[in-house]
Amino acid sequence: MAESVLKTSNAEPPKENRVGLKAADYAGGKSTLCAGCGHDAISNQIIRAFYEMSVKPEKVVKFSGIGCSSKTPAYFLSRSHGFNSVHGRMPAVATGAMLANHNLIGIGVSGDGDTASIGLGQFMHMVRRNIPMVYIVENNGVYGLTKGQFSATADEGSKLKTGVLNDLPPMDLCALAVQLGCGFVARGFAGDPKQMVNILKAALAHDGLAVIDVISPCVTFNNHEGSTKGYQYSKEHDEILQQIGFVQSYEQIEVDYEPGEVREVTMHDGSRILLKKLEEDYDPSNAVQALERLYRAVDNGQMLTGMIYLRPEKKSFLSLLNMTDEPLATLPLEKTRPPKSALDQIMRELM
Amino acid sequence: MSDSLSATAVLDEAADGRQPSVNDLTIHVATVNGSGSQSSNNVLMRSIFQMGIPVSGKNMFPSNIAGLPTWFTIRANKDGWIARKKEVDLMVCMNAQTAREDVEALEPGALCIYDAPLNCKSIRNDLIFFEVPFAKLAGELTTDSRLRKLLTNMIYVGIIAEQIGIEREEIVNAITKQFKGKKKAIDPNVQAIDKGIEYAKANLPRQNRWRVERMNKTAGKIIIDGNAAAAIGAMFGGVTVVTWYPITPSSSLCESLIDYMKQHRIGPDGKATFAIVQAEDELAAVGMVLGAGWAGARSMTSTAGPGISLMSEFAGLGYFAEIPGVIWDIQRVGPSTGLPTRTAQGDVLQVWYLSHGDTQHITLFPSSVRECYDFGSEALDLAEMFQTPVFVLSDLDLGMNNWMSDPFPYPEKPIRRGKVLSKEQLDKLGGKWGRYDDVDGDGIPYRTLPGTDHAMASYFTRGSGHDAFARYSEKPEDYKATVDRLAKKIETARGVVPQPVIDRRAGARIGIIAYGTTDWPVEESRHQLRTESSVETSYLRLRALPMSEDVKRFVAGHERIYVVEQNRDGQMADLIRLEVANDQHKIRKVLHYTGLPCDARFITNAVLEMEASISAKEPLLLVRGGVQRKTTQAAPMRGPATREARGED
Ligand SMILES: Cc1ncc(C[n+]2csc(CCOP(=O)(O)OP(=O)(O)O)c2C)c(N)n1
Ligand code: SF4
Ligand SMILES: [Mg+2]
């Protein structure tokens, strides 16, 4: 497996972040998932990313649908409000909350069942609207919580514990997101925490919907001989697109690289994403190339990870709505009730 | 002219022994959907209104964009009875598809104005027929074929005006209003009116059976539909997040709201104090409403029955997780391929119990445009006060038809936002609080909003699997405590939701209960019962669920209770029966469900029929009907607590 991360700093991470909090302040409740579940590994990187990005937990809102994956918002960032909603409908709930308060920093956690089956419609419309938040699909190819049935992302030919073979083609959520014009599409692997945390930080810096499909093995129902989303199989088939580095806007870091070797993308908040090319020159701003590469990966049995598509300039839905700066949720009555003269005028028109 | 001669003959005959009726008539216009008759019908209604005569207009339209039959009924009544009336006095036949049916349904002696090629006079000989060559008249106005079609409709307005005495000046005013002062549109329409007036003067005998005369009962009043009224109410009620998915008859609520909000809720800096989103379906619409309500917005959506069905799972989540949000249901006949453009009150039970588990939802029933306006903000208040989804059940008749009303008063009271803990309050509490802790004993806990800048502000929201401090719990005692407290919350709501409007009459042995638009025919029916049959009735108009304690007292205070509603099974009557325990035997059902609004005569007949049967061995407990004019059909009433009604009446 190639190195997936571009080192941007040698400095030890500080014990306190820029808002004066410790990593422990980002912890959540104790996980009730199976020991070794990929989902827990992702929660750990979420904690780390928010801590290192110095995001105040009080400004964060966590959303999820239903599933083992959707339980995880209870296991990180206890100091943030969280909402474990209904199966497949988290996008709507999150959209509503973000409309109510556009200052919130949203993170949604879903599963492959939650997103690719029951919630596919809402997922697609959320991508289309470009709601500014992070949307993580913890993808294990099965319905964990209902005890291991195939999901719509299960690979053709992969095998259930019971020996049942999947004979339908998988749905590629990254390809779908690219096609729907998502400005940030990445794939990670729960077994590669360093890549994961960098992707997460970049996603937090994105002003728009950031879709992250994370291969997250279900150790109980899909980690055996014949499963294609277990740890062993994923490690062997992980095809890393590029080495990813993330540099905060305030960091004075110059990374040494040869010209043409690294792509640098400046994000909305001034931070930079550095993408060092590996075997092939991959342009993540080219949707056609992204789709071509994703299809090729399927043909070649590769699990493609890294920054798949990145167009940070796309306008988010909230900016299109042209709302007042103050969140709608807390607008005072003077701002939300028009004056008597307005009612008088309306009544006159109806007389 | 032979036509007018025969008309005169009938006219004389019909005039025999009948009193001319002033300011009391029903006009029924049959046209083809998409022919542009809506504006002429509005002009007709408005000009009568402007003459000071109480009036209503009901549009009966098909689920179709163009081509199918549509009818518009205008009822003018000096005493203010403006519910639907089945008996038509003046018919305008413009639609070949329905002309025969339309003519056959008329009462003997009615006046029928028809488009010449339809040759309606050949259908029967006991009506007054006025034949009008509309195509020829319109052809004299313009050569533009599209315009000709539109002007044809204005010509019948002119003819009616001349026949019943509508003042030309008021028609011109109404046209000016209808076309928003645009001269280019006004002039040809006024010419069409004059064409009609001239033709009637020169060619039609003047009838005296039906007249309108100026009176003074509409001064200062407005005309508006219920959906627009609801939108105005919500806007002044401080709604901030609105989501919707188009569906008749609710679409115009959010569409009006968009128009009003753009005019009145964009600040001087050009920034909106609202967000309106057209969702991908009703599931998403209600999900967004709940997400927004959870995060502190005053949020609402509007839909009809099929949308309500889709919202079911979220409604339960909102109830258990205690999240505010307002859902307007403009009821119509179900399902999608039912009669989507016809009215009903058939969603009562579905909404009250919507979702899985033990759920009950605060539900409001506006009966007038004024109440649509009031509930527009009241529902938002109740949702935030009770931290729960609140439903408002309007219907197509109220939502899409035009109604007279006094102008709406400016809301003087501030909005109520419920129990929300601020950062400062959390500081005072030392950060100790429980999201589901019933500290006030009213079943309503406190909540915090996401984004509250306090380390102890957050909590984790999930259905009912939690304790009083929102910690995950599957303990039997925690679950039971949660759902018992939710029941208490609904109990608290009983006395806080809009209370019934009660008219108790001394000596009345029977009571009527109704809700929503059924109020209009009920009031008229009570008048008929009193003046024609000396039957005095008390009346309770229900305005909300959970049911006020008043209902029990009202039922206890009368010998028999007639619950009148517009659905097949008597949904509200069944809910009332659940409430009144020992008085169940008093409940009678009067059910009108044809897709058209209920009328007073149906209720009067049904009540009299059932009253006449009280000493029979098996008294009639239910009347279903609405189709036949004179006979009502009795069908057996289901349920163990009642005796079956006779089947043959
Ligand atoms: C409406 C509805 N249908 C079915 C279920 C049952 N259900 C719970 S979780 C789940 C699948 C979850 O799969 P996934 O999203 O992949 O999550 P995982 O457990 O694998 O992390 C299902 C079908 C439900 N909760 N709600
Ligand atoms: S069943 Fe699978 S997905 Fe669920 S917690 Fe266990 S390992 Fe994770
Ligand atoms: Mg799964």
Side-chain angles (χ1 to χ4, degrees):
Chain A
M1 206 167 86
E3 180 60 54
S4 61
V5 178
L6 184 64
K7 215 166 161 45
T8 53
S9 160
N10 288 318
E12 279 288 302
K15 292 276 174 283
E16 247 184 29
N17 66 12
R18 285 163 62 92
V19 291
L21 296 177
K22 300 190 174 57
D25 294 319
Y26 292 79
K30 193 174 169 312
S31 171
T32 60
L33 303 185
C34 307
C37 175
H39 303 347
D40 278 336
I42 299 168
S43 296
N44 290 337
Q45 297 319 308
I46 292 174
I47 291 172
R48 202 173 130 201
F50 277 92
Y51 166 68
E52 290 182 10
M53 290 290 281
S54 300
V55 178
K56 241 186 136 182
E58 286 76 21
K59 294 186 97 178
V60 178
V61 267
K62 309 172 287 184
F63 306 99
S64 61
I66 300 290
C68 295
S69 35
S70 292
K71 283 172 179 248
T72 63
Y75 314 142
F76 58 82
L77 270 64
S78 280
R79 279 171 61 169
S80 308
H81 277 72
F83 195 155
N84 192 174
S85 65
V86 290
H87 200 17
R89 322 294 178 193
M90 172 259 278
V93 174
T95 300
M98 301 305 284
L99 293 173
N101 186 342
H102 57 78
N103 292 341
L104 296 173
I105 294 159
I107 176 167
V109 179
S110 176
D112 42 326
D114 197 64
T115 291
S117 289
I118 192 167
L120 189 61
Q122 292 214 341
F123 169 71
M124 289 168 71
H125 284 279
M126 181 183 224
V127 172
R128 176 171 174 257
R129 283 197 189 96
N130 198 21
I131 304 296
M133 61 179 274
V134 181
Y135 188 102
I136 300 171
V137 184
E138 302 188 342
N139 185 351
N140 52 18
V142 288
Y143 294 179
L145 195 58
T146 50
K147 297 193 184 286
Q149 302 84 354
F150 277 127
S151 81
T153 64
D155 294 304
E156 214 170 330
S158 71
K159 202 197 274 177
L160 281 190
K161 251 184 153 172
T162 54
V164 176
L165 284 178
N166 176 37
D167 43 24
L168 293 177
M171 218 172 245
D172 188 329
L173 293 170
C174 288
L176 194 61
V178 171
Q179 209 160 44
L180 291 166
C182 184
F184 186 113
V185 182
R187 182 174 287 132
F189 170 40
D192 187 350
K194 287 188 192 152
Q195 181 195 43
M196 186 70 228
V197 79
N198 276 351
I199 291 176
L200 278 167
K201 287 183 187 172
L204 279 170
H206 178 60
D207 181 32
L209 188 74
V211 170
I212 312 172
D213 181 30
V214 190
I215 306 305
S216 175
C218 168
V219 292
T220 306
F221 296 112
N222 204 10
N223 195 34
H224 47 268
E225 186 71 33
S227 53
T228 56
K229 286 193 166 45
Y231 278 113
Q232 186 62 31
Y233 185 95
S234 301
K235 261 190 203 123
E236 284 165 14
H237 293 79
D238 191 354
E239 179 72 19
I240 296 160
L241 263 181
Q242 67 281 92
Q243 288 180 352
I244 182 167
F246 182 80
V247 182
Q248 310 250 25
S249 57
Y250 52 84
E251 283 177 310
Q252 299 294 327
I253 292 165
E254 289 309 321
V255 190
D256 270 347
Y257 48 77
E258 301 292 315
E261 202 183 39
V262 168
R263 287 175 192 274
E264 190 175 311
V265 183
T266 304
M267 302 301 284
H268 184 74
D269 64 352
S271 60
R272 288 174 294 156
I273 298 174
L274 308 180
L275 300 169
K276 181 163 185 282
K277 91 173 183 196
L278 290 171
E279 272 95 80
E280 57 194 315
D281 193 21
Y282 182 77
D283 175 7
S285 69
N286 183 334
V288 175
Q289 198 185 345
L291 290 173
E292 189 270 337
R293 187 64 191 87
L294 284 165
Y295 284 124
R296 191 145 45 83
V298 175
D299 287 346
N300 299 345
Q302 297 168 330
M303 184 183 92
L304 199 67
T305 63
M307 201 59 238
I308 290 167
Y309 187 60
L310 187 59
R311 293 295 291 264
E313 69 280 7
K314 218 190 133 183
K315 270 207 180 323
S316 92
F317 188 61
L318 299 185
S319 62
L320 293 175
L321 287 172
N322 197 25
M323 292 182 278
T324 51
D325 297 338
E326 195 176 346
L328 299 182
T330 49
L331 283 177
L333 185 57
E334 312 85 80
K335 294 234 172 95
T336 61
R337 174 175 286 168
K340 183 163 183 306
S341 57
L343 186 66
D344 291 344
Q345 183 201 325
I346 295 170
M347 290 300 115
R348 264 197 311 279
E349 286 163 6
L350 294 165
M351 274 177 192
Chain B
M1 251 175 91
S2 64
D3 289 329
S4 35
L5 277 180
S6 71
T8 320
V10 179
L11 188 58
D12 291 342
E13 204 180 297
D16 233 20
R18 295 204 201 202
Q19 292 292 315
S21 108
V22 176
N23 293 344
D24 182 12
L25 87 164
T26 302
I27 305 172
H28 197 52
V29 182
T31 51
V32 178
N33 200 30
S35 67
S37 56
Q38 186 73 29
S39 29
S40 14
N41 293 333
N42 282 340
V43 165
L44 189 56
M45 175 184 172
R46 191 164 257 289
S47 49
I48 296 173
F49 166 80
Q50 283 163 191
M51 285 177 67
I53 308 158
V55 67
S56 65
K58 295 193 191 298
N59 189 13
M60 188 176 132
F61 59 105
S63 176
N64 157 268
I65 301 302
L68 287 183
T70 175
W71 294 267
F72 194 83
T73 308
I74 292 172
R75 182 173 180 194
N77 183 283
K78 57 181 180 306
D79 300 313
W81 304 123
I82 54 168
R84 170 166 174 254
K85 189 177 158 205
K86 285 200 193 88
E87 296 75 21
V88 170
D89 301 308
L90 200 165
M91 176 81 217
V92 180
C93 287
M94 303 295 288
N95 185 355
Q97 290 166 279
T98 63
R100 174 164 286 276
E101 249 176 77
D102 290 334
V103 169
E104 281 172 350
L106 294 171
E107 299 281 308
L111 173 62
C112 176
I113 296 168
Y114 65 93
D115 190 13
L118 304 181
N119 196 23
C120 291
K121 67 172 185 299
S122 68
I123 300 172
R124 48 194 279 198
N125 57 14
D126 56 349
L127 305 179
I128 310 166
F129 285 107
F130 288 169
E131 181 174 290
V132 180
F134 283 103
K136 180 171 161 281
L137 298 181
E140 289 164 18
L141 289 169
T142 174
T143 50
D144 176 338
S145 66
R146 210 186 63 85
L147 189 58
R148 212 157 46 211
K149 230 165 97 184
L150 297 174
L151 295 182
T152 300
N153 297 319
M154 275 305 165
I155 296 176
Y156 70 64
V157 176
I159 288 173
I160 294 171
E162 174 59 21
Q163 278 296 334
I164 65 172
I166 301 173
E167 294 164 16
R168 180 182 178 280
E169 196 193 329
E170 291 301 2
I171 302 181
V172 175
N173 289 342
I175 287 178
T176 309
K177 187 148 193 112
Q178 177 74 26
F179 297 103
K180 301 197 164 74
K182 284 186 214 108
K183 201 168 152 30
K184 242 185 95 190
I186 295 168
D187 289 351
N189 279 291
V190 171
Q191 281 158 21
I193 294 291
D194 288 338
K195 195 82 185 165
I197 294 177
E198 274 162 37
Y199 180 83
K201 270 195 180 136
N203 299 287
L204 302 176
R206 210 178 157 84
Q207 62 80 30
N208 275 316
R209 284 276 313 282
W210 299 280
R211 304 285 307 155
V212 291
E213 281 169 14
R214 182 169 280 283
M215 57 190 297
N216 192 21
K217 281 210 176 164
T218 66
K221 291 201 192 287
I222 58 166
I223 292 184
I224 189 172
D225 61 72
N227 284 349
I232 298 170
M235 176 167 76
F236 285 90
V239 72
T240 46
V241 174
V242 182
T243 65
W244 65 300
Y245 186 75
I247 184 168
T248 306
S250 89
S251 302
S252 66
L253 199 164
C254 287
E255 284 166 338
S256 309
L257 190 51
I258 291 169
D259 288 348
Y260 284 128
M261 296 285 252
K262 278 187 180 158
Q263 278 183 53
H264 301 288
R265 287 279 295 273
I266 293 185
D269 54 355
K271 299 258 180 158
T273 59
F274 63 90
I276 301 183
V277 180
Q278 186 182 324
E280 57 269 33
D281 56 27
E282 290 87 348
L283 257 110
V286 75
M288 289 178 200
V289 162
L290 291 182
W294 177 77
R298 277 162 87 84
S299 60
M300 67 175 266
T301 182
S302 141
T303 186
I308 294 287
S309 303
L310 288 183
M311 293 177 180
S312 168
E313 187 184 16
F314 260 127
L317 176 74
Y319 173 84
F320 287 114
E322 302 184 59
I323 302 169
V326 170
I327 300 134
W328 281 76
D329 175 8
I330 317 302
Q331 296 170 97
R332 63 180 216 188
V333 172
S336 290
T337 48
L339 309 177
T341 57
R342 301 297 157 83
T343 197
Q345 295 183 312
D347 296 348
V348 176
L349 285 178
Q350 131 143 318
V351 162
W352 169 239
Y353 291 126
L354 193 67
S355 209
H356 45 271
D358 291 309
T359 48
Q360 294 176 335
H361 303 288
I362 294 175
T363 309
L364 311 185
F365 301 94
S367 73
S368 61
V369 290
R370 169 63 196 275
E371 260 175 357
C372 286
Y373 170 75
D374 290 343
F375 292 174
S377 70
E378 176 81 19
L380 292 164
D381 279 0
L382 289 169
E384 290 200 306
M385 287 162 66
F386 286 91
Q387 300 175 21
T388 196
V390 169
F391 291 80
V392 190
L393 261 64
S394 173
D395 63 29
L396 180 141
D397 184 23
L398 181 55
M400 288 188 74
N401 283 324
N402 279 324
W403 298 76
M404 294 187 331
S405 171
D406 285 324
F408 306 146
Y410 189 71
E412 297 302 341
K413 278 188 274 177
I415 54 178
R416 289 163 292 175
R417 308 226 48 187
K419 301 180 185 180
V420 179
L421 293 175
S422 64
K423 169 182 159 52
E424 292 70 31
Q425 285 165 310
L426 287 169
D427 277 338
K428 268 200 206 121
L429 292 168
K432 284 202 191 72
W433 72 290
R435 167 66 182 102
Y436 300 111
D437 197 9
D438 185 11
V439 287
D440 298 334
D442 56 4
I444 310 169
Y446 285 79
R447 63 178 182 141
T448 55
L449 302 184
T452 306
D453 191 16
H454 191 288
M456 298 302 287
S458 75
Y459 68 95
F460 195 77
T461 302
R462 52 166 76 82
S464 51
H466 55 71
D467 66 8
F469 289 81
R471 290 174 300 222
Y472 185 68
S473 168
E474 295 188 11
K475 288 188 191 136
E477 57 272 27
D478 284 335
Y479 171 74
K480 185 160 182 303
T482 296
V483 291
D484 285 347
R485 184 179 51 71
L486 289 171
K488 186 163 154 200
K489 185 157 95 170
I490 294 293
E491 225 24 68
T492 303
R494 263 185 209 277
V496 180
V497 296
Q499 296 296 295
V501 177
I502 302 173
D503 177 16
R504 273 194 93 126
R505 292 293 172 104
R509 297 163 73 166
I510 63 173
I512 295 179
I513 297 181
Y515 56 93
T517 48
T518 313
D519 176 53
W520 298 83
V522 161
E523 284 289 21
E524 187 181 356
S525 168
R526 292 179 68 213
H527 177 73
Q528 291 172 348
L529 287 165
R530 187 180 310 124
T531 54
E532 299 168 5
S533 310
S534 304
V535 175
E536 188 59 272
T537 59
S538 295
Y539 177 33
L540 180 146
R541 181 164 69 82
L542 203 59
R543 299 202 300 158
L545 291 174
M547 228 172 262
S548 157
E549 292 292 336
D550 288 347
V551 175
K552 271 186 218 162
R553 283 191 286 272
F554 184 79
V555 174
H558 294 87
E559 289 172 23
R560 285 170 301 286
I561 296 292
Y562 292 93
V563 183
V564 189
E565 52 192 315
Q566 303 183 51
N567 56 60
R568 187 195 61 192
D569 294 337
Q571 301 185 12
M572 188 67 86
D574 283 347
L575 285 180
I576 293 170
R577 294 204 304 183
L578 290 177
E579 291 280 327
V580 298
N582 297 332
D583 279 338
Q584 290 198 2
H585 61 282
K586 294 183 177 178
I587 306 296
R588 309 279 191 270
K589 295 178 176 181
V590 179
L591 306 171
H592 186 288
Y593 50 99
T594 59
L596 300 180
C598 180
D599 63 302
R601 188 55 67 191
F602 164 73
I603 302 170
T604 303
N605 288 347
V607 170
L608 290 176
E609 199 176 354
M610 285 196 264
E611 280 296 291
S613 82
I614 52 171
S615 43
K617 201 161 108 270
E618 287 186 11
L620 199 53
L621 300 179
L622 168 153
V623 169
R624 292 192 163 120
V627 179
Q628 284 106 329
R629 196 167 298 126
K630 293 188 187 73
T631 51
T632 46
Q633 279 177 356
M637 183 161 174
R638 291 178 295 143
T642 58
R643 238 168 309 156
E644 287 217 336
R646 288 170 301 159
E648 67 273 21
D649 281 59

